[in-house]
Amino acid sequence: MKFNENLANLVSYEAGKPIELVVREYGIDAKDVIKLASNENPYGTSPAVVKAVGEIVNKMHLYPDDSYFELKAALASKFGVSEKSIVIGSGSDQVIEFAVHAKANANKGILTAGITFAMYEIYAKAAGAHVFKTKSKEHDLGEFLQIYNAKKDEIGVVFLCVPNNPLGGCLDAEEIYKFLEQIDADTLVVIDGAYQEFAKFKDAKKEIKPRELIAKFPNAIYLGTFSKAYGLGGMRVGYGIGEESVMSELGKLRAPFNITTLSLKAAIEALKDEEFVKMTLETNFEEMKKYEKFADKHGIKRLPSFTNFIVFEFERQNASELAQNLLKKGIILRDLKGYGLNAVRITIGLPSQNDVVLKQIGGNLK
């Protein structure tokens, strides 16, 4: 059977190994598995969300309100934007897909950092679009501009991952605004803020305010998600915020009922519990200090992180071997070999989990 030729060069996105796989392969009891590979919220989600979803479980046979009126109204109130400026996605990565299909094709490619969220490239290649990347691993905006100015007619979408996944670094908002001033109005710039709650908590200079962003730059859109700080990774709810005419075009690509009845309820309730989010952020960065101190003590290069994960990059240690050794003990970390790095990405877990993981890493260092 012949398939679309664009699929020939695609490599599937590699998600973190599920707990169930480790249980099957290594015979480890599920309760003893520590999964710190997918940047999930180790504290679960707000108890109010669990209660609210439980109360409507018997409605799972019904489609959700496809206007997503209540969720859009809550997001509009939170960010001070119009409800017509919001598109809801099955995770923010679905809105990434909308952006690619709206502006990229065989004649218009995308521009990204050298190492960044893999789905930008996957969606672009699936659409037959060329992928331009900086040589720099992180977001070097000077290099972005150099490539953009040289290939302006061939670039339809620019992706800025703020903070950057899988590395953790984050541009200042002012840097981004100065960059946007030099981008043509017909080029779509996607500000991926999946980890923005963490970044702005750690450093106010990192905060991208959607209302301010789209007022100054109608060609920019902001992406957010409920998967990280709000602890709804399994519910798959994300959103895009942009100028109304832009989001109207992206909205044409949205399939009906693209999130579930239970997901919709969960997201609405999650927005109400800011105390849960605050607890998550405070504890995350307090626990991250353990990893920073460990890395410094053992001479391990650690990348600055404004997220809920940290990257350990090794010189002598084989990161893939380390990850595999820990996997056999029920500890799931993210091996970054696929990104060309001798490194592991570690989600900041519960205090007890972090203590176990660091002890095991220490015992496997060469």
Side-chain angles (χ1 to χ4, degrees), residues 262-331:
L262 302 185
S263 298
L264 178 58
K265 184 65 173 178
I268 292 167
E269 292 301 319
L271 277 176
K272 298 175 184 177
D273 193 349
E274 288 298 328
E275 282 302 311
F276 173 81
V277 174
K278 182 182 177 184
M279 178 277 295
T280 291
L281 301 175
E282 288 177 344
T283 312
N284 174 78
F285 288 112
E286 190 61 35
E287 284 297 301
M288 188 181 287
K289 293 176 183 177
K290 293 180 180 178
Y291 287 91
E292 293 169 343
K293 290 177 181 178
F294 178 90
D296 294 345
K297 177 182 177 181
H298 292 278
I300 299 169
K301 181 181 179 182
R302 57 177 174 86
L303 306 187
S305 177
F306 294 84
T307 65
N308 65 345
F309 61 81
I310 191 167
V311 171
F312 281 2
E313 192 170 9
F314 301 96
E315 293 183 1
R316 297 181 298 275
Q317 177 77 39
N318 185 309
S320 296
E321 183 181 293
L322 173 67
Q324 187 60 35
N325 287 342
L326 265 63
L327 189 62
K328 293 175 183 177
K329 297 179 180 180
I331 297 171

Side-chain angles (χ1 to χ4, degrees), residues 153-366:
D153 293 338
E154 301 173 48
I155 295 172
V157 189
V158 178
F159 284 100
L160 300 180
C161 195
V162 191
N164 191 18
N165 177 29
L167 300 182
C170 189
L171 295 166
D172 286 354
E174 198 57 39
E175 293 179 276
I176 294 170
Y177 293 158
K178 289 179 181 177
F179 170 78
L180 285 167
E181 288 171 355
Q182 302 174 75
I183 302 299
D184 286 359
D186 193 52
T187 303
L188 181 65
V189 182
V190 178
I191 308 297
D192 188 345
Y195 297 89
Q196 262 287 304
E197 287 87 356
F198 295 91
K200 67 184 181 183
F201 179 85
K202 187 173 184 179
D203 185 348
K205 296 194 301 293
K206 309 298 182 184
E207 181 179 7
I208 302 294
K209 298 177 181 178
R211 179 181 180 179
E212 183 177 273
L213 175 73
I214 65 177
K216 290 182 177 180
F217 307 103
N219 62 319
I221 65 172
Y222 174 93
L223 306 184
T225 183
F226 287 88
S227 296
K228 310 304 177 186
Y230 290 95
L232 297 180
M235 285 295 193
R236 311 302 301 126
V237 187
Y239 54 90
I241 301 175
E243 197 272 330
E244 288 184 16
S245 64
V246 174
M247 303 317 283
S248 175
E249 292 300 306
L250 265 60
K252 293 176 181 178
L253 296 163
R254 185 185 69 83
F257 313 118
N258 61 320
I259 65 173
T260 71
T261 298
L262 302 185
S263 298
L264 178 58
K265 184 65 173 178
I268 292 167
E269 292 301 319
L271 277 176
K272 298 175 184 177
D273 193 349
E274 288 298 328
E275 282 302 311
F276 173 81
V277 174
K278 182 182 177 184
M279 178 277 295
T280 291
L281 301 175
E282 288 177 344
T283 312
N284 174 78
F285 288 112
E286 190 61 35
E287 284 297 301
M288 188 181 287
K289 293 176 183 177
K290 293 180 180 178
Y291 287 91
E292 293 169 343
K293 290 177 181 178
F294 178 90
D296 294 345
K297 177 182 177 181
H298 292 278
I300 299 169
K301 181 181 179 182
R302 57 177 174 86
L303 306 187
S305 177
F306 294 84
T307 65
N308 65 345
F309 61 81
I310 191 167
V311 171
F312 281 2
E313 192 170 9
F314 301 96
E315 293 183 1
R316 297 181 298 275
Q317 177 77 39
N318 185 309
S320 296
E321 183 181 293
L322 173 67
Q324 187 60 35
N325 287 342
L326 265 63
L327 189 62
K328 293 175 183 177
K329 297 179 180 180
I331 297 171
I332 312 172
L333 307 181
R334 183 65 182 270
D335 180 6
L336 296 183
K337 177 176 62 177
Y339 289 90
L341 295 176
N342 183 37
V344 292
R345 188 190 69 188
I346 311 166
T347 305
I348 308 301
L350 299 170
S352 58
Q353 293 176 322
N354 298 326
D355 292 343
V356 171
V357 169
L358 288 172
K359 182 179 179 180
Q360 289 296 333
I361 292 176
N364 280 271
L365 290 177
K366 292 182 178 179

